[in-house]
Amino acid sequence: MKYVNAPVRKKDAMALVTGQPVYTDDLAPADCLIVKVLRSPHAHALIREIRTDAAQKVPGVACIFTWQDVPNKRFTYAGQTYPEPSPYDRLILDRRVRYVGDPVAIVAGEDEVCVDRALKLIKVTYDVLEPVLDFRKAKDNPILVHPEDDWKTLCQVGADNRRNLCASGKDAKGDVDAVLAECPYVVEETYHTKANQQAMMETFRAFSYKDVYGRLNVVASTQITFHVRRILSHALDIPKSKIRVVKPRIGGGFGAKQTSVAEVFPAFVTWKTGKPAKMVFTREESQIASSPRHEMEITVRLGADQGGRIRAIDVHTLSNTGAYGEHGPTTVGLSGHKSIPLYSRADAFRFTYDVVYTNVMSAGAYRGYGATQGIFAVESAVNELAARMHMDPAHLRQINMTREGDVMPAYYGETANSCHLEGCLTKAKEMFGWEEKFPSKDMGNGKVRGVGMALAMQGSSISNVDTASVSIKVNDDGFYSLMIGASDMGTGCDTILAQMVADCMDCDMENIAVYGVDTDTSPYDSGSYASSTTYLTGMAVVKTCETLRTRIVKEGAKILKCAPEEAEFDGKGVHCLADPSRFVTLKDLANEAMCANDNALFATESHYSPVSPPPFMVGMAEVEVDLETGKTELLDYVAVVDCGTVVNPNLARVQTEGGLVQGIGMALYEDVVYSSQGKDYSNSFMQYKLPTRLDIGTIRVAFDSSYEPTGPFGAKSIGEIVINTPSPAIADAIYHATGKRFRSLPITPERIVMEEGR
Amino acid sequence: MTIKFWLNGKLTEDTIAADTLLLDYLRTKRCYSVKRGCETANCGLCTVLLEEKPVLSCSTLAARVNGKHVTTLEGLQAEAEEFGAFLADQGAEQCGFCNPGFIMNVLAMMRERKDPTEEEIREYLAGNLCRCSGFVGQERAIQAYLTWKREGESV
């Protein structure tokens, strides 16, 4: 049986559906200290005095730490390959607090009750400072978010803390201004996307303890197990050799857990006290002090000739990284580099950007990672161009979109070696009934239906940076252990990687035990982010299996007394090519290898890629708007995805559906709203509305697969791209229903009724 | 204060603080399937059965279960496996964190309605959030489960 492209059940599925205790908080020692932090009520302030004497006296309190107790070495929470592009702008606790919710003190105690009491008894006197809350006014503002001298960047990202700049940069090809001047049609508009919360069901959490060797062990709900080890070493200023990080089952991540939001607090408590400690973020903390999507304002200038050929694309992005720079310099890049290349046949492009510090919670990584914001802007502009030219937006795409073999200048000059965008569009139109439904239909009852569409792309891993490895060993009776360094956060990577092993080793899935992730035993993997696991770790699987097969053949040949070149492994055993009756089973071979053997039946290979092949997709939305109330119902959403070979059709489909619904939330409901003083009002699921199953209408997903030559079995990525089409497609559908153009999100009923939407 | 109740069929007696939430209490009794996803009764992750009816254990005082029957997924393992297999066959369990509360509510729904319509299903389960699956795969699983039930649980 072949497993790749089969709808295999996830290996951990039955444990999950029966509610087994497999998540971080289920595994924490019962007697561990409860860790909480006191958070700043001010968006910007200096701590003049902090008194903890009364709090220390609360029975059960084990320790209280303030800025005076933590290492004075700046680091970043961002889970990125070292040296991180994100600036080193954090301390565990800082004297300057930079957003409402910034940690001021750490309290650990025997139970929640005593910790909560102690938190209330800490007396802090603040020198309250004026905050920078408008990200449009942050650059070169006299108020600095990071005036400190020890702020630093490890990479050249165009940052300058004296200008509130976390990053800035430019990329271009051709003379955009000259080409735009020649274009009879030019769309120039500014689009605004807000911060969005990943809102994974399991909030941030970690627990820690010291092991028998005195090493700090941290069990964390994280996507970046290895990066957490380095981040903790920097934060606590202790050697990496003293730290072990383990990832159990994760209750969702979506990028949120690509930032080590919770880990440093319990780790610091354990390191200082020697006692086990845990920190579980409340939902409120997960809403107000976490790592949401970067708010961006994106100005697009798009020029086309008389026939609708897009000739120039000019994108300028202003990104709001908030109080700290996690993922600030990198997310912004995708807003241009993963939107402009959808139309790589244009004569010229320019992409410029600024990323600014402000006094709101730090942004981070959220599925799509800047591409989502950029695609909302560019795809909305393309939809506006279509309207301006009285052209079907699907037809406009047909004229302009990137096709297989095209060089994509705005995508680092990479060639689209696998691209079925055209097939995706054809299939989506057919499934959706685009020709019949476009552009709108008055239902005669005050309601109007409208349709809209968008293209999307993403990448597959960070080229020349991300590193993936797996190890496979042969055990007694010939079963395999697959050791993974990438974090399965529920998406099923443990399973799809095992599927690949099964096909590479010609064995049953049952014959493969999967284990991950433990920094002491797993091979190094940069982690599960940047749409890298299927593509990159998958390729590490392919390479590792090749090496292991060679070792198995060598062992078999030794037993069969023939040369390795004269022997072959077929999954069941090794036989001599010349005489297949001379055969040793894998079972016998594996057992014999445990007696007087010097050929380790074990292999580890690493993989990186010089390219990051984009998956592509098309999304189409049909909405019904009540013109009187603005109530917008999403009736139908069709998505056709080219993620290369689909490794597991079930998991890829569910990834797509889940990503679409998050995208629908971004388009219609989800909003992080601040008060004029910088307090986050969206601090619970009452205020921050996630789509429920009543909000989504029909969702239909199909695949049109190209074959990516550099991917395992022809696969690319699926995890992130799927969130990118809903916002622009739904915004255009609402335009077709109402005649109102919305260039900021979310598009709520109030806005539909009350705003002009020019 | 003292409470005496049936936890998954077993008579249990305990001394608790009066303000203990059922969710927190159940986790101390090693019922780790009961999860907290919010503090505002929005997510449905902590759903358990109280006298056979689904309740949110985050909004129920442990004191309220005195003299009553509480059922968590730990007490419904056979049913969880039976329905869960359909969820697993869609890949819709995903991260799994919302699964126990969701499955508790599906099982509660099945006790109330033998053959719910699509609309009834969506309404009954509207309070069970899931951030991974987009709900669609969950509903495919329910439909496949209902079909299997209708066909006399063959195969």
Side-chain angles (χ1 to χ4, degrees), chain B residues 24-121:
Chain B
D24 296 319
Y25 173 73
L26 288 171
R27 286 187 65 87
T28 67
K29 303 308 284 181
R30 307 183 66 81
C31 293
Y32 291 120
S33 74
V34 189
K35 303 280 194 260
R36 176 179 271 117
C38 66
E39 295 96 39
T40 46
N42 285 106
C43 73
L45 264 63
C46 63
T47 305
V48 299
L49 301 187
L50 180 58
E51 294 292 307
E52 299 291 296
K53 294 271 179 246
V55 297
L56 296 175
S57 62
C58 73
S59 315
T60 306
L61 286 171
R64 261 192 62 195
V65 309
N66 193 36
K68 296 184 172 148
H69 291 81
V70 175
T71 312
T72 71
L73 208 61
E74 282 80 1
L76 294 175
Q77 286 289 291
E79 286 174 71
E81 251 179 66
E82 184 183 272
F83 171 70
F86 286 86
L87 201 58
D89 282 339
Q90 295 297 333
E93 78 286 1
Q94 286 290 295
C95 85
F97 204 73
C98 75
N99 288 191
F102 167 70
I103 293 173
M104 287 304 292
N105 223 10
V106 169
L107 298 178
M109 174 178 75
M110 293 305 297
R111 289 168 188 213
E112 285 179 38
R113 294 182 178 82
K114 281 294 152 236
D115 215 353
T117 65
E118 212 170 298
E119 209 178 316
E120 283 173 331
I121 293 168

Side-chain angles (χ1 to χ4, degrees), chain A residues 7-10 12-14 16-23 25-26 112 197-203 205 249-252 254 281-285 366-367 489-492 650-651 653-655 657-659 661-662 665 670 683-686 688 690-699, chain B residues 19 24 27 30-43 45 73-74 76-78 80-100 102-103 118-119 121-140 142:
Chain A
V8 176
R9 216 185 247 189
K10 232 150 62 89
D12 53 356
M14 293 315 289
L16 302 185
V17 299
T18 55
Q20 301 307 308
V22 293
Y23 302 92
D25 192 33
D26 305 337
E112 269 199 70
Q197 286 290 357
Q198 299 87 347
M200 60 283 158
M201 288 296 116
E202 183 198 39
T203 59
R205 57 196 59 194
R249 292 294 100 186
I250 304 304
F254 317 114
F281 269 45
T282 60
R283 178 58 62 186
E284 182 179 6
E285 285 177 300
Y366 181 5
R367 192 180 214 169
M489 56 183 133
T491 53
N650 274 359
L651 297 179
R653 175 177 306 275
V654 174
Q655 278 292 303
E657 291 161 348
V661 171
Q662 289 183 356
E670 297 178 37
N683 60 0
S684 79
F685 285 164
M686 305 280 257
Y688 188 84
L690 303 181
T692 72
R693 66 189 76 235
L694 297 175
D695 299 316
I696 53 173
T698 308
I699 290 178
Chain B
D19 61 353
D24 296 319
R27 286 187 65 87
R30 307 183 66 81
C31 293
Y32 291 120
S33 74
V34 189
K35 303 280 194 260
R36 176 179 271 117
C38 66
E39 295 96 39
T40 46
N42 285 106
C43 73
L45 264 63
L73 208 61
E74 282 80 1
L76 294 175
Q77 286 289 291
E81 251 179 66
E82 184 183 272
F83 171 70
F86 286 86
L87 201 58
D89 282 339
Q90 295 297 333
E93 78 286 1
Q94 286 290 295
C95 85
F97 204 73
C98 75
N99 288 191
F102 167 70
I103 293 173
E118 212 170 298
E119 209 178 316
I121 293 168
R122 283 194 170 193
E123 268 175 30
Y124 198 99
L125 301 171
N128 290 94
L129 294 181
C130 169
R131 193 60 160 166
C132 294
S133 73
F135 309 109
V136 193
Q138 290 184 342
E139 280 158 28
R140 275 196 300 274
I142 293 169

Side-chain angles (χ1 to χ4, degrees), chain A residues 7 16 26 29 59 116 165 215 252 257 264 352-353 364 388 493 503 608 621 662 665 690 720 729:
Chain A
L16 302 185
D26 305 337
D116 285 339
L165 265 183
R215 293 169 79 224
K257 294 169 183 172
V264 297
T352 54
Y353 58 86
R388 187 88 59 89
C493 78
D503 279 9
Y608 80 98
Q662 289 183 356
L690 303 181
E720 292 186 276

Side-chain angles (χ1 to χ4, degrees), chain A residues 447-632:
Chain A
K447 295 179 179 177
V448 183
R449 292 182 179 180
V451 300
M453 66 157 295
L455 311 181
M457 63 180 287
Q458 196 76 35
S460 303
S461 80
I462 306 172
S463 53
N464 290 311
V465 175
D466 284 345
T467 298
S469 323
V470 300
S471 303
I472 307 174
K473 63 177 172 179
V474 183
N475 303 285
D476 317 42
D477 291 355
F479 84 89
Y480 301 107
S481 298
L482 169 64
M483 282 159 286
I484 297 172
S487 295
D488 191 331
M489 56 183 133
T491 53
C493 78
D494 287 356
T495 304
I496 63 124
L497 295 171
Q499 287 176 254
M500 293 185 201
V501 172
D503 279 9
C504 289
M505 300 305 290
D506 295 304
C507 71
D508 268 3
M509 286 283 284
E510 290 304 309
N511 210 38
I512 303 161
V514 180
Y515 182 69
V517 181
D518 179 336
T519 55
D520 273 6
T521 58
S522 306
Y524 179 78
D525 194 294
S526 25
S528 292
Y529 58 85
S531 292
S532 63
T533 309
T534 303
Y535 175 73
L536 212 66
T537 314
M539 211 56 200
V541 163
V542 171
K543 286 163 76 172
T544 304
C545 289
E546 279 168 18
T547 305
L548 190 62
R549 288 184 75 108
T550 309
R551 300 224 164 128
I552 291 170
V553 168
K554 186 180 162 198
E555 189 64 19
K558 192 172 82 187
I559 294 165
L560 298 171
K561 299 189 171 44
C562 67
E565 307 79 58
E566 290 161 15
E568 191 179 66
F569 175 58
D570 63 3
K572 302 208 165 44
V574 177
H575 59 262
C576 290
L577 284 169
D579 177 7
S581 70
R582 285 168 65 196
F583 182 77
V584 56
T585 63
L586 178 64
K587 177 181 173 179
D588 290 344
L589 181 156
N591 291 336
E592 277 194 43
M594 289 183 170
C595 178
N597 172 37
D598 60 2
N599 171 32
L601 294 182
F602 179 90
T604 300
E605 296 292 345
S606 295
H607 185 67
Y608 80 98
S609 175
V611 292
S612 174
F616 294 96
M617 76 182 282
V618 173
M620 291 182 171
E622 182 180 23
V623 299
E624 184 174 273
V625 184
D626 184 324
L627 295 181
E628 193 181 353
T629 64
K631 183 169 186 264
T632 300

